[in-house]
Amino acid sequence: MRLWIALLLLTLPTWADGTQVPRSQRVRSGLAASDRATREEAARLAREWARTDPAAVDALAEGLEVRARAGLVRALAGTGTRNGAQLALRHVQDPEDVVFGALVRGLIEGGERAILTEAPADIVVPFERAQVLRRLRIRYETEKRFAALKSDSGRTGHFAGQYAEIAKLGPVAVEVMWHIVRNRGWPLPGEASGEPYEPIHEGMLDFDPDERRQLAAYSFGELVKQSDREWIARIYRLFTRYFSLDKNQFPIEREELAPALGYSLHDLGFEEPAMRYIRRLRARARRYDFDGLQARWDLGYAYMRIDKPEEGEKWYLRVIELQSSDFGRGVACYNLACHFALRAGKARNVAEARKYRRMSLRWLQDAIENHLFIDWVWMEEDGDLNAIREEPLYKKLRDDLRRRFPKRKKGRKIEKETKKFLEPQPEMEPPK
């Protein structure tokens, strides 16, 4: 212990005569320094100190010039402790906007405990700033619930009712999704709207950025009300823009985001965007190459998504027949299982429901036993399979997979590498 203390003292700055500079003076002078490196080091020291004695750090604010005061407030807010955040929030009335901006950035750096801390009861928060803090908390909670959509297996997908928890947060959640889809910065103090979207919940980093945008695009069908014409018009304009982009320059916007927006609009009562996308797919599906096979796959999903299950089933069966990838076949069979489970849930009578549950289980069994589908974690989370969840065969298939493949940590979904996901048969040729 004595050696550790001695080494620590050797690293502390000293005056020319060899005396140690008090920590408080190092922080105050460092935050006011002209060079950025010195300011950042002083902020780091202040933040570490504030974790154990935030009141002593806060006392240094008196008499500091604006830039130094901003650095100190940010350090207090960034401790990740409730005491530090509350002391930082006492500066919410500071007349300088740069100080308030530093406060917000510090709360973000401090994480959930800092973001959700309310200002002390004796502090009157100016209305506009109170709105910013409220939106920050809702944005954090929205991202937290969005991050929960990522399966522990690394897979993501869309199923009805998936965004129910996010919908409870109200209209601000729609704005968060909008910024994610467009990949544009949330309007926080000091953040330009043209910058890329920066998540503030660490769980959002489990997503591939494009995967995150696509999943957000699917959300509008559940988060936006059919009576909200303004939001529907904005979504439609964004669909039209992405749909018309060059696919070589903007493949994500045109091939993933545009259809997701089209399906959301279909859920909101506007069928034409999704049908435009389907017509494009049908033209591509005439080709006998990888692009044609991908179009067939997308048509299977598209028709099921707009509630034309017979057409969707037909296109999925073509995919299963024409590709060589067992994994690709497995996912196609799995999607057919989801399709028939959904039909079972909407069946008109007991006999029809039983028939569709049986078909769903058959496709799920085929996916698992014959085509390498192993993601039992996603199976358990996928709401599309709710109708067969209590079936003995479903439980047997799940339990067998659980024994063979233990639960893994979250990661990026396998399907992002599309050419490993779909592989045309080598002998695939146009019909004579």
Side-chain angles (χ1 to χ4, degrees):
M1 178 63 75
R2 291 178 180 176
L3 177 61
W4 181 86
I5 294 173
L7 290 173
L8 178 62
L9 292 175
L10 288 173
T11 64
L12 295 177
T14 59
W15 295 110
D17 60 4
T19 59
Q20 294 176 12
V21 180
R23 180 166 54 179
S24 59
Q25 190 164 340
R26 278 183 282 143
V27 171
R28 286 179 64 92
S29 60
L31 290 174
S34 57
D35 64 293
R36 182 174 179 178
T38 302
R39 293 198 304 273
E40 289 179 351
E41 176 59 23
R44 184 196 64 77
L45 181 61
R47 191 162 50 248
E48 292 299 320
W49 185 10
R51 290 194 175 103
T52 56
D53 192 359
V57 176
D58 186 50
L60 302 178
E62 186 176 353
L64 287 179
E65 54 93 23
V66 174
R67 185 169 64 182
R69 198 161 68 246
L72 190 69
V73 170
R74 183 169 180 171
L76 280 168
T79 60
T81 66
R82 186 172 182 274
N83 286 341
Q86 279 210 324
L87 286 169
L89 285 164
R90 286 194 169 276
H91 297 271
V92 74
Q93 296 176 334
D94 193 296
E96 300 292 340
D97 288 339
V98 68
V99 175
F100 178 66
L103 168 61
V104 173
R105 299 311 302 178
L107 292 173
I108 292 172
E109 291 163 1
E112 181 167 332
R113 187 174 296 178
I115 290 172
L116 300 184
T117 296
E118 298 283 351
D122 60 329
I123 298 294
V124 178
V125 183
F127 177 77
E128 290 186 359
R129 293 183 176 183
Q131 290 296 97
V132 171
L133 294 175
R134 174 180 172 274
R135 286 161 61 88
L136 174 64
R137 296 184 190 108
I138 293 179
R139 174 186 171 184
Y140 181 84
E141 185 61 33
T142 301
E143 288 191 6
K144 181 179 179 179
R145 299 185 189 192
F146 187 93
L149 302 180
K150 182 80 165 182
S151 168
D152 284 343
S153 71
R155 186 182 300 275
T156 53
H158 177 255
F159 54 86
Q162 187 174 26
Y163 303 94
E165 290 301 311
I166 297 176
K168 294 176 182 178
L169 297 173
V172 176
V174 181
E175 293 186 34
V176 178
M177 296 298 106
W178 180 254
H179 282 82
I180 293 174
V181 172
R182 295 181 65 245
N183 195 27
R184 291 292 181 270
W186 179 266
L188 289 172
E191 183 179 20
S193 60
E195 295 175 349
Y197 186 88
E198 293 185 13
I200 60 176
H201 187 278
E202 61 181 9
M204 296 288 279
L205 301 178
D206 288 332
F207 293 89
D208 176 283
D210 296 328
E211 174 189 29
R212 186 171 66 207
R213 295 176 71 192
Q214 186 180 28
L215 200 58
Y218 278 117
S219 73
F220 296 126
E222 292 186 32
L223 301 184
V224 176
K225 296 180 180 179
Q226 290 193 356
S227 59
D228 194 337
R229 298 296 170 175
E230 182 179 347
W231 263 115
I232 291 173
R234 292 174 70 180
I235 297 166
Y236 183 85
R237 286 194 296 270
L238 189 60
F239 164 81
T240 302
R241 178 186 167 201
Y242 285 171
F243 187 80
S244 61
L245 291 173
D246 184 288
K247 71 175 182 179
N248 295 317
Q249 293 184 349
F250 302 96
I252 300 303
E253 286 75 6
R254 175 170 155 139
E255 302 300 322
E256 296 190 21
L257 299 183
L261 292 169
Y263 299 141
S264 282
L265 288 166
H266 183 274
D267 294 342
L268 293 170
F270 293 84
E271 299 182 1
E272 179 54 24
M275 294 308 300
R276 284 172 63 188
Y277 175 62
I278 286 174
R279 288 193 291 271
R280 174 183 282 173
L281 288 177
R282 291 184 72 97
R284 285 170 50 194
R286 299 190 186 103
R287 300 174 58 177
Y288 283 79
D289 56 9
F290 173 79
D291 193 53
L293 182 61
Q294 181 69 58
R296 290 175 176 84
W297 173 276
D298 292 337
L299 279 167
Y301 179 78
Y303 276 116
M304 290 184 177
R305 189 65 178 73
I306 66 169
D307 204 24
K308 293 189 176 180
E310 291 79 9
E311 279 290 308
E313 182 183 356
K314 179 178 71 175
W315 286 102
Y316 268 134
L317 290 173
R318 291 184 186 180
V319 170
I320 293 170
E321 176 187 357
L322 292 173
Q323 72 167 315
S324 62
S325 164
D326 247 346
F327 178 73
R329 286 198 192 104
V331 178
C333 292
Y334 176 84
N335 282 1
L336 284 167
C338 291
H339 153 64
F340 285 111
L342 287 171
R343 295 185 75 177
K346 300 176 182 178
R348 293 167 293 183
N349 52 60
V350 174
E352 187 176 74
R354 187 182 303 116
K355 179 184 78 170
Y356 288 135
R357 283 197 300 272
R358 187 166 57 249
M359 295 173 74
S360 174
L361 289 163
R362 188 194 76 189
W363 282 112
L364 185 61
Q365 186 173 20
D366 193 19
I368 293 170
E369 295 183 354
N370 299 321
H371 300 299
L372 305 182
F373 187 88
I374 64 172
D375 196 350
W376 63 268
V377 178
W378 175 251
M379 281 169 52
E380 286 289 88
E381 298 174 6
D382 191 342
D384 287 350
L385 295 179
N386 286 344
I388 63 169
R389 197 82 68 196
E390 298 304 316
E391 294 288 332
L393 179 55
Y394 173 87
K395 293 179 179 180
K396 178 182 181 301
L397 293 169
R398 177 203 61 201
D399 293 344
D400 287 346
L401 287 177
R402 182 183 285 164
R403 282 192 296 270
R404 291 163 53 203
F405 304 99
K407 192 172 182 179
R408 298 177 299 165
K409 293 183 178 180
K410 292 182 180 181
R412 293 187 180 182
K413 65 177 182 179
I414 300 170
E415 295 93 317
K416 290 305 293 182
E417 298 187 60
T418 313
K419 291 192 176 181
K420 292 183 180 179
F421 174 51
L422 287 177
E423 297 175 6
Q425 292 278 12
E427 66 276 13
M428 183 176 169
E429 296 178 356
K432 301 286 185 180

